Amino acid sequence: MLVAAAIPLASGIAGCKSGIAVAPGPQQLRLVAEARWPHRLGFQGTAVGGLSGIDYDPLRREYLLLSDDRSDLAPARFYSAQWSAAPGAEAPRLVDVAVFRQADGTPWPSRRRAPRNTPVPDPEALRLRPDTDTVLWTSEGDAPRGFGPTLYESRRDGALIREIPLPDTFQPDPTGRRGTRDNLGLEGLALTPDATHAWLAMESALIQDGPIPTVAAPGGPCRFTQIDLATRKATRQIAYLPDAIPLRPLVPGMPADNGVSEVLMIDAHRMLVLERAYATGVGNSLRLYEIDTRTATDTLALEALSPDNHTAAPKKLVADFAALGLSRLDNSEGLCWGPDLPNGSRLLVAVSDDNFNPLQITQFAAFEFTG
């Protein structure tokens, strides 16, 4: 989750540096439709916002939208909405909201009310399992309270089915020497086309794997972990190196960052990776890359990543959102495939997380994917 307030870009995006070769190519996205929701739109007693994940249900013809509210404004939840995603179409129409529930059937508590031994989910990504009609969703965790990232599976009504264990390397360390950094945990979730495996993407490097990005350097690699949904076991893991921060803050020393905000499978092996950056006083950068998960070494058994013990996935630029004609770039954190377009092309839909901040927007954008 990117917490800083977003401001419209004042200028073009500066060049970025990366330790992995980025192959240039033509833009593979064409803007089809764009829409917004008003700040803190009210729906069934909840404030709508913080939309960090999106997926499409072709049977119900609905989009599922995950809020990253940590049960502060309302219990952890996801929405369903309908949208034609056609040129000039109205904003999506909300249909329903489902509250995630704990194993005992009660909603998740806020951090202020949670017992010490109870994690408070920080929802960040969501995927519908079409074979079971259930929802996979991730929590970034709560490192200050000792809870690491988590993968959950719930029914469509929010009832918890199971928690899927993750490798110990993700768990926070009280000494601060290993594990997930606070607010830089599981940010992306992809499902393979056969729905047998999930890929979990870290926003930034684990502490033991390297530093966070700067304007001058890309920082450490992010781990992408493949989970077998039948066995609940991690079967493979690869490294992905995000760009250095591509924007310089208006005032040197002010906050700026870059990291992975979402992943989405193109087919059984190729994956789209969305990098989202922010610089104070300048705004957001959104760049979409493509990788082949077969081209990187397996890092699952490595306690710490270093340049000499693995090969990260090479990446190819698919599109720079600054060149796609959007009215504004904001904190986009969700990607999904929508219904195919009339010409047979795939529809790629993105949603932005406004962090419940009036300076930001909840933006829906639909693109024709020509890759």
Side-chain angles (χ1 to χ4, degrees), residues 315-364:
K315 60 189 188 181
K316 178 181 70 174
L317 182 65
V318 171
D320 185 334
F321 277 40
L324 296 179
L326 289 165
S327 62
R328 173 174 167 181
L329 297 187
D330 210 290
N331 183 33
S332 293
E333 293 196 357
L335 288 177
C336 74
W337 298 115
D340 288 344
L341 292 166
N343 64 4
S345 294
R346 300 178 84 172
L347 184 73
L348 182 69
V349 179
V351 67
S352 68
D353 171 5
D354 69 348
N355 291 309
F356 296 96
N357 184 336
L359 297 179
Q360 296 182 247
I361 59 173
T362 297
Q363 177 191 59
F364 297 87

Side-chain angles (χ1 to χ4, degrees), residues 59-81:
L59 294 180
R60 295 175 175 85
R61 297 182 181 180
E62 294 176 349
Y63 289 93
L64 304 183
L65 299 158
L66 180 71
S67 174
D68 68 5
D69 179 7
R70 301 173 82 166
S71 299
D72 291 325
L73 300 176
R77 61 201 178 276
F78 70 98
Y79 299 89
S80 56

Side-chain angles (χ1 to χ4, degrees), residues 161-234:
I161 298 173
R162 59 178 176 164
E163 177 182 330
I164 299 175
L166 302 182
D168 290 340
T169 48
F170 294 119
Q171 299 309 309
D173 177 12
T175 67
R177 297 177 181 175
R178 63 182 299 280
T180 306
R181 290 178 165 91
D182 185 37
N183 207 31
L184 294 174
L186 285 183
E187 193 77 19
L189 172 62
L191 193 65
T192 55
D194 62 6
T196 60
H197 293 78
W199 280 95
L200 307 175
M202 298 293 290
E203 181 177 356
S204 189
L206 298 175
I207 294 171
Q208 66 267 31
D209 292 339
I212 60 176
T214 66
V215 173
C222 301
R223 297 196 190 215
F224 291 1
T225 307
Q226 187 184 58
I227 303 292
D228 185 318
L229 295 175
T231 66
R232 305 196 313 158
K233 302 293 185 182

Side-chain angles (χ1 to χ4, degrees), residues 47-348:
V48 181
L51 301 182
S52 294
I54 185 172
D55 209 2
Y56 182 68
D57 180 347
L59 294 180
R60 295 175 175 85
R61 297 182 181 180
E62 294 176 349
Y63 289 93
L64 304 183
L65 299 158
L66 180 71
S67 174
D68 68 5
D69 179 7
R70 301 173 82 166
S71 299
D72 291 325
L73 300 176
R77 61 201 178 276
F78 70 98
Y79 299 89
S80 56
Q82 294 179 332
W83 188 37
S84 69
E90 295 182 355
R93 180 181 65 86
L94 281 161
V95 175
D96 201 2
V97 59
V99 172
F100 288 118
R101 299 195 295 277
Q102 303 178 81
D104 64 3
T106 61
W108 293 91
S110 67
R111 294 180 82 190
R112 296 187 302 273
R113 298 180 179 179
R116 293 186 62 183
N117 62 345
T118 300
V120 176
D122 181 3
E124 290 295 343
L126 169 148
R127 293 293 169 205
L128 173 69
R129 289 189 65 184
D131 54 331
T132 59
D133 197 34
T134 57
V135 173
L136 294 170
W137 57 287
T138 66
S139 169
E140 253 191 322
D142 192 350
R145 297 179 65 237
F147 298 103
T150 310
L151 174 63
Y152 296 104
E153 184 169 8
S154 298
R155 295 188 177 89
R156 288 290 289 261
D157 64 1
L160 182 65
I161 298 173
R162 59 178 176 164
E163 177 182 330
I164 299 175
L166 302 182
D168 290 340
T169 48
F170 294 119
Q171 299 309 309
D173 177 12
T175 67
R177 297 177 181 175
R178 63 182 299 280
T180 306
R181 290 178 165 91
D182 185 37
N183 207 31
L184 294 174
L186 285 183
E187 193 77 19
L189 172 62
L191 193 65
T192 55
D194 62 6
T196 60
H197 293 78
W199 280 95
L200 307 175
M202 298 293 290
E203 181 177 356
S204 189
L206 298 175
I207 294 171
Q208 66 267 31
D209 292 339
I212 60 176
T214 66
V215 173
C222 301
R223 297 196 190 215
F224 291 1
T225 307
Q226 187 184 58
I227 303 292
D228 185 318
L229 295 175
T231 66
R232 305 196 313 158
K233 302 293 185 182
T235 56
R236 191 159 182 265
Q237 187 183 81
I238 62 174
Y240 175 88
L241 192 65
D243 297 337
I245 301 171
L247 305 167
R248 293 182 179 274
L250 193 61
V251 178
M254 295 296 289
D257 63 8
N258 183 53
V260 173
S261 67
E262 185 60 289
V263 290
L264 181 67
M265 299 307 298
I266 301 172
D267 53 35
H269 303 290
R270 293 184 301 149
M271 177 188 292
L272 293 176
V273 182
L274 181 61
E275 293 189 28
R276 177 271 330 273
Y278 172 79
T280 302
V282 180
N284 290 94
S285 163
L286 299 167
R287 290 180 173 183
L288 189 65
Y289 290 98
E290 178 186 323
I291 65 171
D292 190 318
T293 59
R294 298 169 293 186
T295 60
T297 53
D298 190 349
T299 61
L300 190 58
L302 299 178
E303 172 63 24
L305 302 183
S306 60
D308 60 351
N309 68 2
H310 73 284
T311 300
K315 60 189 188 181
K316 178 181 70 174
L317 182 65
V318 171
D320 185 334
F321 277 40
L324 296 179
L326 289 165
S327 62
R328 173 174 167 181
L329 297 187
D330 210 290
N331 183 33
S332 293
E333 293 196 357
L335 288 177
C336 74
W337 298 115
D340 288 344
L341 292 166
N343 64 4
S345 294
R346 300 178 84 172
L347 184 73
L348 182 69

